[in-house]
Every structure is written in structure tokens, then in C-alpha cells.
Amino acid sequence: MSEHSVENGRVPRHLAIILDGNGRWAKRRGLPRLMGHRAGLRKLEEMVRLVKREGIRYFSVYAFSTENWNRPKMEVDGLMSLFRYYIRRKVEAIKAEGARIRFCGRKDKLPPDLLDQMRWAEERTANETVLDFILCINYGGRAEVMDAVNALVRARQAQGGDEQAGPVTEEELRRFFYLPDVPDPDLIIRTSGELRLSNFWLWEAAYSEFYFTDIHWPDFDEAALKAALADYAGRERRYGGLKP
Ligand code: IPE
Ligand code: IPE
Ligand code: MG
């Protein structure tokens, strides 16, 4: 933990951010929506640096949901190109921060050359241990749970059927999630004023703290991050129990 950490030392181990408001940010400036997405992706490099300085160990961002395919083809194609460009350009800078890049989500539907680049970025940063920087692209919480259920059923069938195995436990199901080693998010921030989860970390968010701000993602800065972390530091987490 660095001297920049929030005063009482209660720093989230896993910080998750729903990057919302790129479109509105662009609209306010009379720019095309894709310019907002570009500004939003640019912001991530700075955020990785700041988050690392706060002593956070896992940083996940929701960049494209399983429902975002419903947007106009031009916007979806533009986003895929921006992901490709951003990954290629920023991997070294992120690696230099000691961050390991990981992707989380369904691998179907993504363009093959983007998938190649994602694999390359993961391999290139695989030995970094200061921070896990998790990009959720084509991620949906329901898709993750369903993929896990189906993988579990297949695994049990391969072992000769359900009867001997007994009921499915949470621990068993969790082993089939996309990133089973990553702890649940402690704090989920959503920018741009919307008060919903939009299918992010559905299972994992069971006891997450939430923080909402009206700031559009491309305008989210150090002060905004510090405000969210200070708010989190004052929360009392009870997990259904009583005040400690
Ligand atoms: C978030 O910004 C990025 C993605 C969902 C890809 P939006 O594109 O949702 O921005 P708004 O909500 O239209 O302002
Ligand atoms: C949530 O934002 C998904 C991401 C930030 C990737 P959306 O803008 O897609 O969510 P809704 O449609 O407002 O719920
Ligand atoms: Mg949005």
C-alpha cells in the first residue's frame, strides 16, 4: 500500500468499473460516438497507473457487454477496431506498470484478429504480478453463469454421470467461471448516472459495494477515483452478519 492510499487503509482488493457514458460525452461535444469510445479507452492507461498506486490488486473494467452487439454495426465494428488498436499500442506501457492483462468474456463473435491480439497481450504480460488488469469484452454475467453450468455438466458427464457426484456446490460451479482465481469485486463503480448493473459480475457482485457518479467515463479522473475510494473506505460490510 502506498502513501496515496485512502487514510484508514480500507482499499478494495478488487475494483470493478462499468465504463459508461462515452456516447454522452461525445454528444455533449458534438462529436461522433466513436470519438467518445476512443477517449474512454485512452483513459484506461492513466487509470491503471492510478489504481496501482492505490494498492489495488485486481482492476476489472466492463468495456463491451453481450448485449452491446445490439448496437448499430458501424458502432460495433468501430469498437472492435478501437480494441485492436488500443491493445496493440498500450500493452508495453501497461506491462511497464507491472500489470498482467487478462480478458474476460465469451470468445465467440469476436473478430479472429482481435482474438489473436488478446492472446498475444495476455502472453506478453503473463509474468506481471503487481496488478491484474481485466478487460471484460463480450462479457455478460448470465452468459458466464450459463457457460459455467454447461461446462460443469459436460465435466460431470465425462466422469460418468451425475448420480455419484452429489449436488453441485458453489465452489464446484465457481471453478468453471471465466476467471476462477479472481476474488469477487469489493467495489463496483458505474459512471454516467445510470443506476444498474447491466449484466456485469452478476454472481460475483452478491456482496459488492456500489458507487455511482454522474461523471462520464472519459472525464473520470484521479479526484473522482479518490472520492469513490474514500466513500468505500467508510462503508461497513456485514455480509448478512451483525456489526463487528
Ligand atoms: C460505454 O459507453 C461503452 C460501451 C458500452 C461500449 P456508452 O456507449 O454506453 O455511452 P452512453 O451510455 O451511450 O453515453
Ligand atoms: C453497460 O453499459 C455495458 C458496458 C459499459 C460495457 P450500457 O450502456 O451498454 O448499458 P445500458 O444499456 O445503459 O444498460
Ligand atoms: Mg451506456
Side-chain angles (χ1 to χ4, degrees), residues 18-27 33 36-37 62-65 68 71 75 79 83 190-192 194 196 216-218:
I18 299 171
L19 313 175
D20 201 15
N22 292 347
R24 279 163 279 178
W25 179 92
K27 190 170 179 211
R33 291 180 57 84
H37 293 313
Y62 201 14
F64 192 89
S65 74
N68 286 146
R71 296 192 179 191
E75 179 164 344
L79 271 163
F83 290 145
R190 183 167 185 148
T191 56
S192 212
E194 249 46 86
R196 54 179 172 257
H216 301 311
W217 170 249

Side-chain angles (χ1 to χ4, degrees), residues 22-23 25-27 29-42 82 218:
N22 292 347
W25 179 92
K27 190 170 179 211
R29 285 165 177 72
L31 296 169
R33 291 180 57 84
L34 277 172
M35 296 295 276
H37 293 313
R38 200 178 74 166
L41 282 174
R42 269 206 198 130
L82 284 169

Side-chain angles (χ1 to χ4, degrees), residues 1-2 5 11-13 50-58 130-131:
M1 215 179 293
S2 74
S5 303
V11 176
R13 199 159 158 238
L50 293 171
V51 159
K52 176 187 130 177
R53 252 175 36 192
E54 294 293 339
I56 289 162
R57 179 63 185 79
Y58 299 88
V130 179
L131 175 74

Side-chain angles (χ1 to χ4, degrees), residues 102-214:
R102 306 176 75 178
F103 293 93
C104 180
R106 273 195 178 154
K107 298 293 181 269
D108 69 332
K109 291 212 232 170
L110 294 173
D113 56 339
L114 174 60
L115 284 169
D116 286 345
Q117 215 151 54
M118 286 160 61
R119 268 191 294 270
W120 167 77
E122 286 187 330
E123 281 165 22
R124 182 91 188 103
T125 61
N127 296 326
E128 303 305 327
T129 55
V130 179
L131 175 74
D132 279 25
F133 176 41
I134 301 159
L135 282 143
C136 299
I137 294 178
N138 196 18
Y139 177 86
R142 288 189 175 177
E144 180 178 36
V145 173
M146 292 320 299
D147 287 351
V149 167
N150 284 305
L152 185 149
V153 168
R154 277 196 305 277
R156 282 195 166 202
Q157 279 166 349
Q159 283 161 14
D162 282 353
E163 286 92 60
Q164 305 96 307
V168 175
T169 62
E170 284 189 18
E171 289 66 35
E172 186 184 6
L173 183 62
R174 213 179 245 279
R175 284 204 290 276
F176 293 93
F177 284 176
Y178 297 138
L179 304 175
D181 62 300
V182 173
D184 290 344
D186 300 292
L187 173 63
I188 300 181
I189 298 175
R190 183 167 185 148
T191 56
S192 212
E194 249 46 86
L195 307 180
R196 54 179 172 257
L197 201 51
S198 301
N199 206 10
F200 195 31
W201 290 141
L202 212 49
W203 174 287
E204 296 85 345
Y207 272 100
S208 301
E209 298 293 327
F210 288 87
Y211 181 87
F212 299 99
T213 169
D214 287 337

